Amino acid sequence: LRARAHRQRTPRPGDLVFFRETYDRDRDGERDDGLTHVGIVEKVERNGTVIFIHRSSTGVVRSRLHRLRRSERTDERGKVLNDYVRRSDGTNAPRLAGELFAGYAAAGALPIAPPTTKSGTTSAATSVDRARASARSSARAAGRR
């Protein structure tokens, strides 16, 4: 991730949320797989709980993450702060979203390679269309602030 894309503070809707070690990608039994999962922030509640959408083994789901209370499943009143994002694999206990949280990134700040034609050159029309769409998106975002 580029430095300016990465967020340390509270995310905004549309930002990406990254997790590490959500499964054993190389099946070696070690927790050495780095970033293994991504979701999209839907909203941030007043108490700091981040609601994010991601794909799980059961389909597309909404889950919760509270990065300041990473290892707590619920708060004092029983409200869920962190959902499980890694199931038990028989040798390791399930893990909460907060425990496997790696960071946020602003989706619009990530580099996107332009599509190429069969000859290997970028399509000028597609690049212009992408620039126009980006400008419209930026204008809408500026209007919300």
Side-chain angles (χ1 to χ4, degrees):
L1 299 177
R2 294 190 308 189
R4 70 179 191 185
H6 187 260
R7 290 191 197 286
Q8 296 293 332
R9 62 186 189 282
T10 304
R12 293 184 230 162
D15 282 356
L16 301 176
V17 58
F18 295 93
F19 300 92
R20 63 180 160 269
E21 315 304 335
T22 57
Y23 70 99
D24 189 7
R25 183 182 359 220
D26 57 9
R27 298 184 178 143
D28 66 355
E30 301 293 323
R31 294 206 177 223
D32 60 355
D33 299 295
L35 296 179
T36 56
H37 196 67
V38 65
I40 300 172
V41 175
E42 180 178 38
K43 69 179 182 177
V44 181
E45 296 179 339
R46 283 189 195 176
N47 71 352
T49 301
V50 175
I51 309 296
F52 64 99
I53 301 168
H54 63 116
R55 187 177 187 297
S56 75
S57 60
T58 60
V60 177
V61 296
R62 280 184 178 85
S63 295
R64 290 173 167 73
L65 156 72
H66 198 293
R67 68 181 190 97
L68 299 178
R69 297 174 73 175
R70 292 179 178 213
S71 60
E72 297 176 48
R73 170 83 170 125
T74 60
D75 68 9
E76 301 76 26
R77 296 178 307 199
K79 182 171 177 164
V80 174
L81 298 173
N82 287 285
D83 284 307
Y84 290 102
V85 293
R86 182 175 178 150
R87 294 182 291 180
S88 173
D89 59 9
T91 58
N92 295 302
R95 301 291 298 271
L96 297 168
E99 295 174 308
L100 302 179
F101 169 73
Y104 304 113
L110 296 174
I112 299 174
T116 58
T117 63
K118 288 183 182 181
S119 66
T121 60
T122 59
S123 166
T126 305
S127 297
V128 169
D129 291 341
R130 182 175 286 110
R132 286 180 184 152
S134 178
R136 284 192 301 271
S137 177
S138 296
R140 280 194 302 270
R144 283 184 261 158
R145 292 183 184 158

